[in-house]
Amino acid sequence: MKAVARAHPLWLAYILHRISGIGLALFLPFHFWVLSLALNNAAQLDAFLTLSDLFLVKLAETGLVFLLAVHMFGGLRLMALEWLPWSPSQKTWAAAATSGAFFISIIFLMQAI
Amino acid sequence: MSEREIISVTVQRGGPEAPQYPQVFEVPAFESQTVLDVVSWIQQNADPTLTYRFACRVGMCGSCAMMVNGVPRWTCRTHVNKVLKGGKIEIGPLRNLPVIKDLAADMDPFFDKWVAAEGRHHPTLSRDDAIAEIDPEQPARVEASLGIECINCSICYSACDTVAGDSDYLGPAALQRAWTLYNDGKDADKDAILDAVSGKGGCHSCHSMGSCTAYCPNGLDPLSAIAGLKRATTQRFFRGRAK
Ligand code: HEM
Ligand code: SF4
Ligand code: SF4
Ligand code: FES
């Protein structure tokens, strides 16, 4: 028999949230270990930071920042969905306002750096 | 006259008493044919031993739900031409429930959880009292009214992946029923309802993936009802029980 059809937006948001959460849980210990090098072993940290110039490493890091962003917004979305008894149109307006504000602030940030 | 078109229908057969296997039937297409019509045609013309369940044929009784191409649907109101994929359909018993035989799923766990979620009326008055008036516009009543058209079809229960992963989870329909009663001005035991839905397998097990709301044939929204229970149980946790 066929697999169950699940491809609707809320389910996709749910699976994205779970995968990004697991990805973060796997990555964060490593991330903190690298940070700890700054205190314990500066030379090794420098060696690692040189490595981070590599394209592949950059790509991986971008992916991890993406995971955090996805998980954070996914989590905020869930908390809003469950804790704020809003009507569907209120939710649409809130999502539009948030993404609009986020977009403007990112452009601002990119111009600043 | 042209040849009648033929639909290739794969039906899941068997159950605990016989091995389960898919069986293919060739069913003539008719105009405005529903999936239930297809199943009935097979039972009446091809194999009288095919077991399935229906009663009202008009989307009222909630007994005809099956998996159709992997989606839980009320078969009496699902038109074949809406679900036909390349001249084929796959029909199976509802997911997340034990199979009795062929297309008939055992609904007992579904209804047992309905009771476990305190989905029953706790009266405020007796038959000797005058009937209390309820304002239909009052916010709590509006919230309760959103959930009362549930036909107990178990489609949401079959759609829910949390049910699939946790046999204790009460499921969307039972929890929505609890939320309806919680908002019912004529229900006297809100604490019993919140107790029933806040334990293991209760409303906090729901991950808001929304398959219940996406597939409910009556357009109900168990996802939001469960979110309501999450808020109500949490508020009670911080504010304490009503005395
Ligand atoms: C950035 C702020 C964060 C927010 C707002 C957030 C929010 C949430 C929420 C609301 C859930 C519940 C999801 C559900 O019920 O299905 C959740 C689940 C989860 N989070 Fe986060 N989280 C954050 C950061 C993190 C971090 C840093 C990690 C990594 C250690 C993490 C790992 C997980 C995992 C593994 C789950 C389980 C996924 C699931 O149940 O589907 N989260 N998060
Ligand atoms: S929203 Fe909750 S009840 Fe509905 S399908 Fe998802 S986990 Fe199940
Ligand atoms: S909530 Fe909808 S899908 Fe679930 S049992 Fe009731 S009518 Fe069926
Ligand atoms: S037969 Fe009653 S709902 Fe389909």
Side-chain angles (χ1 to χ4, degrees):
Chain A
M1 280 280 136
K2 271 207 164 65
V4 184
R6 303 186 174 89
H8 56 85
L10 280 178
W11 192 85
L12 295 174
Y14 152 80
I15 200 68
L16 198 64
H17 194 85
R18 177 153 293 189
I19 290 169
S20 61
I22 294 171
L24 283 174
L26 293 176
F27 159 70
L28 279 179
F30 176 71
H31 178 68
F32 289 133
W33 175 74
V34 171
L35 288 184
S36 77
L37 291 179
L39 300 177
N40 304 327
N41 193 340
Q44 211 186 333
L45 179 67
D46 279 342
F48 180 78
L49 290 180
T50 328
L51 192 70
S52 71
D53 279 341
L54 286 178
F55 174 71
L56 209 71
V57 177
K58 278 225 163 84
L59 194 74
E61 283 171 352
T62 310
L64 290 164
V65 172
F66 174 75
L67 279 187
L68 186 62
V70 159
H71 194 81
M72 189 181 80
F73 282 102
L76 293 174
R77 171 198 71 92
L78 261 182
M79 293 191 301
L81 177 87
E82 294 182 0
W83 299 109
L84 306 170
W86 288 352
S87 69
S89 65
Q90 281 173 313
K91 285 179 199 160
T92 309
W93 280 110
T98 312
S99 54
F102 186 68
F103 183 67
I104 292 171
S105 58
I106 285 290
I107 290 186
F108 191 79
L109 185 73
M110 289 198 333
Q111 290 208 322
I113 52 175
Chain B
M1 215 181 97
S2 68
E3 281 275 304
R4 204 174 256 301
E5 271 184 58
I6 297 290
I7 314 166
S8 167
V9 185
T10 308
V11 177
Q12 171 115 336
R13 301 299 305 268
E17 261 138 59
Q20 282 190 301
Y21 63 97
Q23 186 177 3
V24 180
F25 294 96
E26 310 267 278
V27 179
F30 294 91
E31 213 179 300
S32 299
Q33 191 176 21
T34 64
V35 173
L36 183 63
D37 292 334
V38 166
V39 175
S40 299
W41 188 95
I42 295 172
Q43 201 261 342
Q44 284 160 16
N45 299 285
D47 185 349
T49 69
L50 179 67
T51 304
Y52 65 111
R53 196 192 284 120
F54 76 96
C56 71
R57 302 167 3 269
V58 291
M60 301 287 291
C61 71
S63 62
C64 67
M66 299 169 202
M67 302 301 291
V68 181
N69 287 343
V71 176
R73 292 184 182 278
W74 50 3
T75 55
C76 70
R77 292 191 64 180
T78 302
H79 278 251
V80 168
N81 55 23
K82 287 255 171 69
V83 292
L84 207 58
K85 281 202 187 113
K88 293 181 181 171
I89 325 180
E90 286 190 18
I91 308 175
L94 275 180
R95 190 173 83 116
N96 291 344
L97 289 165
V99 178
I100 297 174
K101 180 175 170 282
D102 301 339
L103 299 173
D106 182 356
M107 304 279 277
D108 278 356
F110 176 73
F111 290 119
D112 289 346
K113 288 177 180 178
W114 192 274
V115 178
E118 276 300 310
R120 60 192 185 84
H121 180 55
H122 313 94
T124 45
L125 300 171
S126 78
R127 74 181 70 198
D128 304 316
D129 299 301
I131 294 174
E133 248 181 67
I134 296 283
D135 172 10
E137 306 297 330
Q138 171 202 337
R141 185 60 235 170
V142 171
E143 191 63 38
S145 298
L146 290 175
I148 55 176
E149 296 296 337
C150 174
I151 59 172
N152 304 6
C153 63
S154 195
I155 283 176
C156 53
Y157 190 83
S158 293
C160 176
D161 287 336
T162 302
V163 172
D166 176 2
S167 56
D168 289 333
Y169 180 48
L170 293 169
L175 290 171
Q176 172 173 257
R177 171 69 175 165
W179 177 240
T180 301
L181 286 172
Y182 179 79
N183 284 294
D184 187 338
K186 293 189 177 181
D187 195 286
D189 204 350
K190 315 284 185 206
D191 269 327
I193 297 171
L194 294 187
D195 285 342
V197 301
S198 54
K200 189 171 178 302
C203 63
H204 296 283
S205 295
C206 163
H207 291 279
S208 295
M209 60 183 90
S211 295
C212 49
T213 298
Y215 294 125
C216 173
N218 264 346
L220 304 188
D221 186 4
L223 160 69
S224 300
I226 296 167
L229 288 175
K230 287 176 181 173
R231 292 191 298 275
T233 48
T234 308
Q235 271 165 14
R236 186 179 70 156
F237 180 79
F238 287 113
R239 287 188 198 151
R241 288 160 179 266
K243 269 279 148 263

